[in-house]
Amino acid sequence: MEAFGGFFVDEKAARVENIFLEFLKRFKEADAAEPFYDIEMEAMRSRESTTMYVDFAHVMRFNDVLQKAISEEYLRFEPYLRNACKRFVMEQRAGENRAPIISDDSPNKDINIAFYNIPMLKRLRELGTAEIGKLTSVMGVVTRTSEVRPELLQGTFKCLDCGNVVKNVDQQFKYTEPIICVNATCQNRSRWALLRQDSKFTDWQRVRMQETSKEIPAGSLPRSLDVILRHEIVEKARAGDTVIFTGTVVAVPDVMALTSPGDRAECRREGPQRKNGSGVQEGVKGLKSLGVRDLSYRLAFVANSVQVADGRRDVDIRDRDIDGDGSERQKFTDEEEDEVVRMRNTPDFFNKIVDSICPTVFGHQEIKRALLLMLLGGVHKITHEGINLRGDINVCIVGDPSCAKSQFLKYTAGIVPRSVYTSGKSSSAAGLTATVAKEPETGEFCIEAGALMLADNGICCIDEFDKMDIKDQVAIHEAMEQQTISITKAGIQATLNARTSILAAANPTGGRYDKSKPLKYNVALPPAILSRFDLVYIMIDEPDENTDYHIAHHIVRVHQKKEEALSPAFSTAELKRYFAFAKSLKPQLSSEAKKVLVESYVALRRGDSTPGTRVAYRMTVRQLEAMIRLVESSEIDLSDFQDTNVPADDPEQPGEPDDEPADAGKKKLVITEEHFQRVTQALVMKLRQHEESVKKDGDGLAGMKQGDLIIWYVEQQNAQGAYSSTDEVKEEVKCIKAIIERLIQREGHLIVIDEGSAVADDGAAVRRGSEHRILAVNPNYVID
């Protein structure tokens, strides 16, 4: 370093900045025509983002000296790298039709940098003082997230003695004021006022990360580490996620060590204590007044990028929704979709995918089919009143000892990204749901996530379910049906999401299953819990020479040859991609399936009420909803999936092909919000006008046929010259039909008065097309 104008200039950092700027300008992929980070900047502009994501593998391929400097001294060069990104963005000014990322109104706007794809992934126990300042990646499970708060990055202070202003005072992990006023005639050191409008703030969030269960050594407790998230990556890590954080390790003062109660060995400077005007001795003020005191430090991790580790290849690091509803549809690459189609076209596909589930367990095909249905899951629905209808399937396995129940649970917990394995006897009600704990630094109460919260949008596997205490079982009643957890403790009233499937394993009451008694007398579970399981399977260990021979042969072969003894048709990675793709599609019940379900439920209830019949347990409406979920999840033929929801908030081009791999040529209509609102308002106004005219005349239908409504709208648009060909008219009619379906099924703005059924010659009702049904506006809908 050398002095220049009263400031030190870091020559090495300046060279790193220039080389990194050259990297951003020149780096290209193998077959790309334009630089890679020009495309990245377009993605930033389209998302209105201020974070530039840099693949570290690109830096390694471009310049070995640059990657070594960044990885070894990242904390030193990080401001210079951000400045290089800002220079790169400023040089690539906006074109004619593109808004600039940094406008002239905010020239001080910073561009943040986020590295990902670091080759060496550290374990949490490997992070020590040797890693301070280096660029590293660490993987762990998020157990707690704080609220998003503003953090002061650079403060602008005004001297209260002379009025001088000191700008850009960097904050060193705490509130930092200028040491002394820059005015030569003013010696102020303590009287400062923060000018908030001229200071620079950013979003800040603290996340508690815990090492994964596979990394914990035997006999050790899991270790935790605080991770600091800033800028646009806040709220990207949720409790229960297995996340890869990229950033650097820093040492921060442990404030809790100073404020913790108890006697501590310390050295204090003894001196005459000052007295105020009244003659009363003043107390100690601030950290400086504490004298020479043993100050302990702790490690923290400052992250610049967050990547959810779900096992998929080529995942877009930006691709995480912040709203937290978990209902966003994942984007799949063309290679992944082709792989799913190839799997689906395999002969005898269903039996092969069943055999690929838990291949180390011999037989038990029925239970493997149940696990397959649970992994696929049903469809979550929301009624017009806002009530959630669960789509997750709960499965209970009751069986004799040594029947591989725990093997099924362990396998399922490993194949699902968000999954928790726990044992019933060692789990309390608070540990399964959630508990209220006190934040150590702020003293405020916060919510600590339990097993069901950590398994949100996943599967919670509970072993030894029958060994749980009754008071602990009651705690999961709400989570199993309403899929929420309500907490009213310590002044906190909250309803938390627990949208999880529960896979439970239990032993019979007497140790062995008694086939002379029905299920409810063999299991020590209350009816309220038992009715919440969609599927209950019985595993009985009966001696059979042929079966015992095959089981023993399979077990010995697995112990002898290990992985070579197993030859499943599909690997675990292929199954994960298939399940993720299938869960993103929404099957719908056909009229034939509806009829069969109704008849089956009536027959089950009839058998339940017949005197002298022996049933496993009472059939209720929950069993009907369970059958609906099982029917939806059994549609594993992806060509039968239909997604009729029109995403009206996606401003992309209409007629974009759907992500479905079906060869039937089905399309998903993607329209803009403006078009959706315009069509909705026109249809509702027309129906309201028709209703008023019918009331005034006193005769005619209260509603209007769907076909007549569509014809009226098309004629109105055609009179305004909106169409230039018949193909545009056909596309418009298809779009209006989809909008009407959404207004009926999801929005609830329209209702169907009559399905438009016709009467045949034999007196039977024949359902005609949707054009003949009578529509009307929902009486509760208010036009804005």
Side-chain angles (χ1 to χ4, degrees):
M1 297 183 183
E2 64 178 17
F4 178 74
F7 296 95
F8 283 102
V9 177
D10 193 343
E11 290 185 347
K12 183 178 179 181
R15 288 199 302 270
V16 169
E17 177 182 340
N18 293 328
I19 297 174
F20 189 72
L21 178 62
E22 195 70 20
F23 158 75
L24 295 175
K25 292 180 180 179
R26 291 174 46 193
F27 181 81
K28 294 181 181 180
E29 289 283 6
D31 301 328
E34 56 181 323
F36 179 85
Y37 289 96
D38 285 352
I39 305 174
E40 172 68 20
M41 196 170 61
E42 291 300 322
M44 293 173 57
R45 182 178 286 110
S46 63
R47 298 170 186 255
E48 298 182 356
S49 171
T50 58
T51 302
M52 177 168 287
Y53 289 88
V54 178
D55 191 343
F56 199 73
H58 296 169
V59 181
M60 296 173 65
R61 286 159 51 187
F62 182 79
N63 191 320
D64 186 64
V65 177
L66 177 64
Q67 69 92 10
K68 186 174 181 180
I70 294 176
S71 60
E72 292 294 332
E73 298 181 272
Y74 171 75
L75 196 60
R76 171 186 173 186
F77 298 141
E78 193 253 348
Y80 296 89
L81 298 177
R82 285 194 284 110
N83 192 40
C85 292
K86 185 174 181 179
R87 288 169 57 189
F88 174 68
V89 171
M90 294 291 288
E91 291 178 7
Q92 307 285 334
R93 297 298 294 176
E96 297 179 358
N97 300 322
R98 297 178 300 179
I101 298 177
I102 300 179
S103 61
D104 296 333
D105 299 335
S106 57
N108 294 327
K109 190 176 182 181
D110 285 337
I111 300 296
N112 305 305
I113 187 169
F115 288 99
Y116 66 99
N117 205 6
I118 307 293
M120 289 295 293
L121 190 63
K122 293 282 186 179
R123 305 170 76 175
L124 195 145
R125 290 178 181 263
E126 297 175 354
L127 296 181
T129 55
E131 305 297 327
I132 293 179
K134 297 182 180 180
L135 182 65
T136 56
S137 288
V138 61
M139 184 171 69
V141 179
V142 177
T143 58
R144 182 194 295 178
T145 58
S146 71
E147 62 180 355
V148 178
R149 303 173 184 170
E151 181 192 18
L152 180 63
L153 289 181
Q154 292 179 341
T156 300
F157 294 89
K158 180 180 179 181
C159 177
L160 296 180
D161 290 346
C162 65
N164 196 22
V165 175
V166 180
K167 296 183 178 181
N168 300 332
V169 179
D170 290 331
Q171 305 298 298
Q172 305 295 332
F173 300 105
K174 63 178 181 176
Y175 184 69
T176 306
E177 293 180 344
I179 299 176
I180 191 171
C181 183
V182 294
N183 191 351
T185 61
C186 180
Q187 298 296 319
N188 177 33
R189 292 177 179 269
S190 59
R191 291 170 47 80
W192 300 97
L194 176 67
L195 302 180
R196 294 177 178 83
Q197 66 274 12
D198 297 329
S199 301
K200 189 177 295 184
F201 291 87
T202 187
D203 292 333
W204 178 93
Q205 185 183 29
R206 181 171 61 235
V207 171
R208 175 62 63 89
M209 177 184 63
Q210 182 177 295
E211 58 184 342
T212 59
S213 58
K214 299 178 183 178
E215 298 176 353
I216 303 174
S220 300
L221 291 175
R223 292 185 181 177
S224 299
L225 181 69
D226 282 341
V227 180
I228 306 300
L229 306 181
R230 290 183 177 132
H231 312 300
E232 294 180 348
I233 63 173
V234 296
E235 296 288 1
K236 285 200 173 185
R238 304 169 188 164
D241 282 341
T242 301
V243 178
I244 299 174
F245 293 105
T246 302
T248 183
V249 180
V250 295
V252 295
D254 191 359
V255 181
M256 287 302 299
L258 292 175
T259 60
S260 59
D263 296 332
R264 290 174 49 86
E266 60 185 41
C267 301
R268 177 170 295 180
R269 193 168 45 236
E270 297 291 343
Q273 295 181 342
R274 295 175 296 172
K275 295 185 178 181
N276 54 17
S278 60
V280 181
Q281 293 182 345
E282 289 185 348
V284 178
K285 293 183 178 179
L287 290 177
K288 289 184 178 180
S289 303
L290 289 175
V292 182
R293 185 167 183 172
D294 297 335
L295 182 64
S296 60
Y297 289 80
R298 60 186 176 89
L299 293 180
F301 194 86
V302 179
N304 58 47
S305 72
V306 175
Q307 190 171 6
V308 180
D310 57 356
R312 292 180 55 212
R313 304 186 303 250
D314 303 328
V315 180
D316 185 7
I317 192 171
R318 296 178 179 272
D319 214 11
R320 169 51 82 95
D321 211 359
I322 298 182
D323 55 5
D325 59 353
S327 61
E328 69 273 7
R329 180 164 177 170
Q330 291 180 321
K331 295 181 176 63
F332 295 87
T333 62
D334 295 336
E335 293 79 6
E336 289 175 335
E337 292 185 11
D338 293 341
E339 186 176 7
V340 170
V341 175
R342 178 189 59 78
M343 291 175 61
R344 181 62 197 91
N345 295 332
T346 305
D348 197 16
F349 167 71
F350 181 71
N351 291 327
K352 286 185 178 179
I353 196 172
V354 169
D355 292 336
S356 300
I357 293 177
C358 201
T360 55
V361 178
F362 178 81
H364 298 300
Q365 298 298 313
E366 291 296 327
I367 296 179
K368 291 184 179 181
R369 292 190 184 98
L371 295 181
L372 174 61
L373 296 179
M374 184 184 64
L375 291 169
L376 292 171
V379 179
H380 292 273
K381 306 179 187 68
I382 301 177
T383 62
H384 301 324
E385 296 82 10
I387 299 174
N388 291 314
L389 302 178
R390 72 176 170 99
D392 293 310
I393 296 173
N394 299 325
V395 179
C396 180
I397 303 175
V398 180
D400 296 336
S402 182
C403 282
K405 297 188 298 295
S406 299
Q407 290 290 330
F408 283 121
L409 269 63
K410 284 287 188 181
Y411 174 82
T412 307
I415 200 172
V416 179
R418 292 176 66 100
S419 60
V420 174
Y421 179 89
T422 182
S423 180
K425 190 62 179 176
S426 60
S427 301
S428 64
L432 284 174
T433 54
T435 183
V436 176
K438 182 174 285 188
E439 185 74 27
E441 293 189 2
T442 62
E444 299 177 354
F445 286 102
C446 63
I447 295 176
E448 189 84 29
L452 294 175
M453 276 186 64
L454 295 177
D456 189 26
N457 289 324
I459 293 178
C460 181
C461 302
I462 305 177
D463 205 355
E464 308 293 343
F465 193 68
D466 57 313
K467 309 295 192 304
M468 290 178 62
D469 294 335
I470 300 297
K471 61 180 181 180
D472 298 332
Q473 286 182 352
V474 171
I476 66 174
H477 279 201
E478 180 188 0
M480 289 185 69
E481 190 61 38
Q482 279 75 35
Q483 296 198 308
T484 56
I485 296 171
S486 300
I487 287 182
T488 307
K489 294 179 182 177
I492 294 178
Q493 293 183 354
T495 300
L496 312 169
N497 288 325
R499 298 159 294 188
T500 175
S501 298
I502 292 182
L503 176 61
N507 291 111
T509 306
R512 294 278 179 178
Y513 194 88
D514 188 357
K515 292 193 292 184
S516 63
K517 298 178 181 179
L519 173 67
K520 55 188 175 183
Y521 298 115
N522 270 286
V523 184
L525 295 176
I529 286 277
L530 209 54
S531 66
R532 284 171 163 82
F533 285 106
D534 302 316
L535 292 172
V536 179
Y537 278 92
I538 312 298
M539 301 176 71
I540 301 177
D541 184 16
E542 289 184 326
D544 182 83
E545 186 174 352
N546 189 26
T547 305
D548 294 342
Y549 172 80
H550 286 95
I551 291 176
H553 182 269
H554 177 78
I555 292 175
V556 172
R557 181 177 171 84
V558 169
H559 279 270
Q560 179 187 15
K561 298 187 176 181
K562 298 181 181 178
E563 293 182 358
E564 296 180 1
L566 307 174
S567 57
F570 305 117
S571 64
T572 303
E574 291 175 334
L575 290 177
K576 287 182 179 180
R577 280 189 286 275
Y578 188 88
F579 294 149
F581 192 92
K583 292 189 75 169
S584 67
L585 304 174
K586 311 297 181 185
Q588 291 190 337
L589 290 175
S590 62
S591 56
E592 294 82 2
K594 173 184 174 183
K595 182 179 178 181
V596 172
L597 284 172
V598 172
E599 293 175 352
S600 301
Y601 176 69
V602 172
L604 287 172
R605 291 284 290 183
R606 188 186 308 119
D608 198 6
S609 60
T610 304
T613 58
R614 297 181 62 184
V615 293
Y617 53 86
R618 185 75 179 268
M619 291 296 160
T620 62
V621 180
R622 283 180 179 157
Q623 276 63 53
L624 174 60
E625 292 184 342
M627 290 191 292
I628 294 174
R629 285 188 287 269
L630 294 172
V631 169
E632 290 171 345
S633 64
S634 62
E635 295 281 342
I636 60 173
D637 185 351
L638 298 183
S639 61
D640 294 338
F641 278 80
Q642 294 183 1
D643 191 359
T644 59
N645 296 334
V646 182
D649 54 351
D650 196 348
E652 297 185 10
Q653 296 296 325
E656 186 185 31
D658 194 1
D659 291 337
E660 299 174 4
D663 53 1
K666 296 177 182 176
K667 301 268 184 144
K668 183 177 80 171
L669 295 174
V670 182
I671 64 175
T672 61
E673 175 74 18
E674 181 183 0
H675 187 197
F676 178 78
Q677 295 295 341
R678 185 173 65 249
V679 175
T680 301
Q681 189 174 7
L683 297 180
V684 171
M685 292 294 293
K686 176 60 178 175
L687 288 173
R688 281 285 169 87
Q689 292 173 2
H690 181 74
E691 291 177 10
E692 292 175 359
S693 63
V694 168
K695 289 180 182 179
K696 187 181 297 183
D697 298 340
D699 59 349
L701 290 172
M704 191 173 180
K705 285 186 178 181
Q706 178 174 325
D708 297 340
L709 186 63
I710 294 175
I711 291 173
W712 168 83
Y713 182 83
V714 172
E715 288 177 351
Q716 291 287 329
Q717 296 296 316
N718 191 30
Q720 299 175 8
Y723 310 121
S724 59
S725 64
T726 56
D727 293 337
E728 292 185 4
V729 176
K730 292 180 181 178
E731 288 293 329
E732 184 73 8
V733 170
K734 189 186 302 182
C735 184
I736 296 172
K737 287 182 178 179
I739 291 176
I740 290 175
E741 286 295 329
R742 183 187 178 99
L743 293 177
I744 296 172
Q745 301 292 338
R746 291 192 61 183
E747 305 294 341
H749 298 346
L750 303 182
I751 58 175
V752 180
I753 298 178
D754 186 13
E755 290 289 348
S757 302
V759 180
D761 296 336
D762 55 357
V766 179
R767 182 174 178 180
R768 295 185 288 187
S770 60
E771 292 82 4
H772 297 279
R773 61 185 178 183
I774 309 299
L775 303 179
V777 182
N778 193 326
N780 297 325
Y781 175 65
V782 179
I783 302 177
D784 297 334

